[in-house]
Amino acid sequence: MTLALQCLVGLTLVVGGAVAALPDLMQQRQPRSLPPVALTSGEPLWVVQGGDEHWFINGIPLDTTAMAQVLRHQTLANDIRFLPSAALSLGQVTSSLAWLRRQSTHPVALELSGSPR
């Protein structure tokens, strides 16, 4: 096989691959909506902070804006328990706990992973 033929085969494979991938690349993907946070009366509401902007309510990941909305519109009298990551500094935990208490109409308790119940 000559060099020209090898280049032509390579070019054909590249162009064919690009044309085959084009519909997938052009398809507009819609963001998936997260399921609403299901709250039942009497169950504690677990709020977990994993990093700077990584929040979870009962295992559902939320950004800061959605988290504030859930806490403001919570009508059930659930216990709210804040479980910060061990990787966070004491200052970050303190500021996050203060922010949670400002957002919620219910008291927020700090839960540490090794604390007895």
Side-chain angles (χ1 to χ4, degrees), residues 21-111:
L22 193 61
D24 190 41
L25 295 174
M26 297 302 291
Q27 179 184 16
Q28 291 183 352
R29 297 197 174 141
Q30 298 296 324
R32 293 181 301 167
S33 62
L34 295 173
V37 178
L39 301 176
T40 58
S41 183
E43 279 188 24
L45 182 68
W46 286 94
V47 176
V48 177
Q49 184 180 14
D52 293 335
E53 297 296 323
H54 298 98
W55 290 93
F56 301 88
I57 293 183
N58 288 354
I60 299 172
L62 296 173
D63 63 355
T64 306
T65 307
M67 174 92 156
Q69 289 176 354
V70 169
L71 291 174
R72 279 191 215 117
H73 298 299
Q74 181 190 6
T75 57
L76 298 174
N78 293 3
D79 292 336
I80 300 175
R81 297 181 181 160
F82 173 51
L83 181 63
S85 169
L88 298 175
S89 69
L90 183 59
Q92 289 173 316
V93 172
T94 304
S95 64
S96 296
L97 183 61
W99 180 81
L100 286 170
R101 288 180 174 164
R102 283 192 307 271
Q103 302 301 317
S104 177
T105 57
H106 301 289
V108 178
L110 178 63
E111 290 280 329

